[in-house]
């Protein structure tokens, strides 16, 4: 895709550039510890994948991997 395909025409000398508008709360969601534990447990079920579980709950797989790592760390008493 070229720059000209991303440029809108206007009557002004300078072309109008494309931009995106993000809508929504604009802040991070807060998950209750019980919800996190339930979602982490769901990700360990037979046949489940981290990507599918994360997609089902509308967040990134990286977030779920972080929760899983912290959960395992707490079970082993390695983290506060």
């Amino acid at each position: 895709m070229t720059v000209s395909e991303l440029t809108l025409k206007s009557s002004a000398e300078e072309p109008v550039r494309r931009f995106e508008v993000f809508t929504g709360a604009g802040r991070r969601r807060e998950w209750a510890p019980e919800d996190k534990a339930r979602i982490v447990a769901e990700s360990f079920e037979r046949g489940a994948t981290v990507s599918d579980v994360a997609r089902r709950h509308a967040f990134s797989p990286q977030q779920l991997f972080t929760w899983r790592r912290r959960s395992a760390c707490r079970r082993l008493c390695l983290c506060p």
Side-chain angles (χ1 to χ4, degrees):
M1 185 173 284
T2 66
V3 173
S4 62
E5 291 173 332
L6 296 174
T7 304
L8 301 173
K9 303 297 181 196
S10 73
S11 60
E13 291 291 322
E14 283 293 315
V16 176
R17 300 287 180 182
R18 178 181 151 190
F19 64 94
E20 294 182 40
V21 176
F22 295 96
T23 61
R27 64 183 199 278
R28 294 179 178 179
R29 288 184 287 179
E30 292 184 25
W31 294 87
E34 300 81 24
D35 292 332
K36 287 182 182 182
R38 182 180 46 78
I39 294 169
V40 167
E42 183 180 336
S43 74
F44 282 111
E45 290 177 1
R46 185 179 192 93
T49 65
V50 169
S51 292
D52 287 339
V53 173
R55 190 176 306 117
R56 195 167 30 256
H57 295 283
F59 59 88
S60 73
Q62 292 83 357
Q63 182 66 58
L64 184 50
F65 276 119
T66 299
W67 290 358
R68 287 168 51 128
R69 186 174 55 251
R70 288 180 181 167
S71 174
C73 193
R74 285 188 187 101
R75 281 194 307 266
L76 295 173
C77 297
L78 298 174
C79 294

